[in-house]
Amino acid sequence: MTRHVPSPQSSAASRAGRLLCWTHTFAMLVTATEALIRPTITWWPDLWPLVWTLPAAGLAAWLACRVAERRRHFPATDEDDADPGHEAGTSHTSYDRAA
């Protein structure tokens, strides 16, 4: 059995996905801390926007990596752009008449 070796792009998508999960976990822990303990540390209000910015950045990174991965694995063809009922090499006259 051959071992699947991930390409650099797919491993980038995996790393970005892990980053997204961990930053979201951290943001949820900070939220729980805020709700349960109500810390009075002076820098706590500065931490709040940062912990919710990190998951947003992680989501953007994961989406970019995932789109690039999908485009590489499933390249677009000319057939994807064709009309579903349209055969290659024929004109659109029947469609134009019906419309």
Side-chain angles (χ1 to χ4, degrees), residues 56-79:
L59 178 63
W62 177 78
L63 282 173
C65 291
R66 187 66 179 141
V67 166
E69 181 181 70
R70 298 283 295 186
R71 284 187 180 160
R72 193 179 69 252
H73 287 290
F74 303 105
T77 62
D78 291 338
E79 295 171 2

Side-chain angles (χ1 to χ4, degrees), residues 7-28:
S7 67
Q9 194 73 5
S10 66
S11 63
S14 296
R15 285 191 302 264
R18 278 187 233 120
L19 174 69
L20 172 61
C21 289
W22 281 107
T23 56
H24 188 253
T25 300
F26 179 65
M28 294 302 289

Side-chain angles (χ1 to χ4, degrees), residues 3-59:
R3 184 175 170 213
H4 174 66
V5 179
S7 67
Q9 194 73 5
S10 66
S11 63
S14 296
R15 285 191 302 264
R18 278 187 233 120
L19 174 69
L20 172 61
C21 289
W22 281 107
T23 56
H24 188 253
T25 300
F26 179 65
M28 294 302 289
L29 287 173
V30 169
T31 302
T33 302
E34 174 74 23
L36 298 174
I37 300 174
R38 304 247 182 222
T40 57
I41 305 169
T42 58
W43 51 264
W44 188 262
D46 298 330
L47 180 67
W48 187 255
L50 177 65
V51 298
W52 286 106
T53 303
L54 292 174
L59 178 63

